[in-house]
Amino acid sequence: MSTKTKKVGLAEIEKQFGPLTFGRLLKSHRLGEELTQVEMAKHLKMSKQSLNDLEHGRKIPSIRRAVEIAKKMGVMEELVVQLILQDHVTREKLSFTVSVSKGQKAS
């Protein structure tokens, strides 16, 4: 991974990539780190095709898998959970906006 750290806000991401989705978050993170899809896929322990499918919204991972990806990327888990849920809502053409806050673990 690149040692450069450039913080980019949501407005900049949405301006370049459109409304934030899980796939767009992955792609913007990868480009920000100056990684190829092959390098990023290797880091995330997935195939390049799987990463490509995620980046382009053809596939939406399970919430658990998305959280694992978030941890490897160093991205807030709450954001990733929110994006995955919102992607599912959007795919179903429902007009809801999802928000997520971290709570206590269920026993």
Side-chain angles (χ1 to χ4, degrees):
M1 296 244 155
S2 171
T3 56
K4 291 182 189 179
T5 304
K6 181 180 176 189
K7 298 291 181 188
V8 179
L10 179 59
E12 289 85 5
I13 292 171
E14 289 188 338
K15 182 177 178 185
Q16 185 171 358
F17 298 101
L20 192 58
T21 63
F22 179 72
R24 289 180 178 142
L25 176 70
L26 277 177
K27 186 172 184 174
S28 66
H29 180 81
R30 177 177 63 78
L31 294 175
E33 293 293 321
E34 299 178 348
L35 296 172
T36 65
Q37 279 189 335
V38 171
E39 293 167 332
M40 179 83 157
K42 188 175 184 177
H43 175 70
L44 297 175
K45 294 182 176 33
M46 67 175 60
S47 71
K48 177 190 173 288
Q49 184 60 50
S50 291
L51 177 60
N52 189 281
D53 286 343
L54 292 174
E55 284 187 358
H56 289 91
R58 291 186 290 268
K59 302 269 177 145
I60 300 174
S62 69
I63 294 171
R64 185 170 306 282
R65 177 70 174 128
V67 168
E68 291 169 5
I69 291 169
K71 287 177 182 177
K72 290 178 183 177
M73 291 174 27
V75 174
M76 290 185 340
E77 295 171 33
E78 294 88 355
L79 173 60
V80 169
V81 170
Q82 180 176 329
L83 291 175
I84 291 297
L85 292 172
Q86 189 66 56
D87 287 350
H88 281 290
V89 167
T90 301
R91 183 172 275 177
E92 295 294 325
K93 295 180 173 52
L94 299 170
S95 57
F96 293 99
T97 300
V98 176
S99 64
V100 174
S101 61
K102 193 166 187 164
Q104 294 184 4
K105 264 190 168 178
S107 33

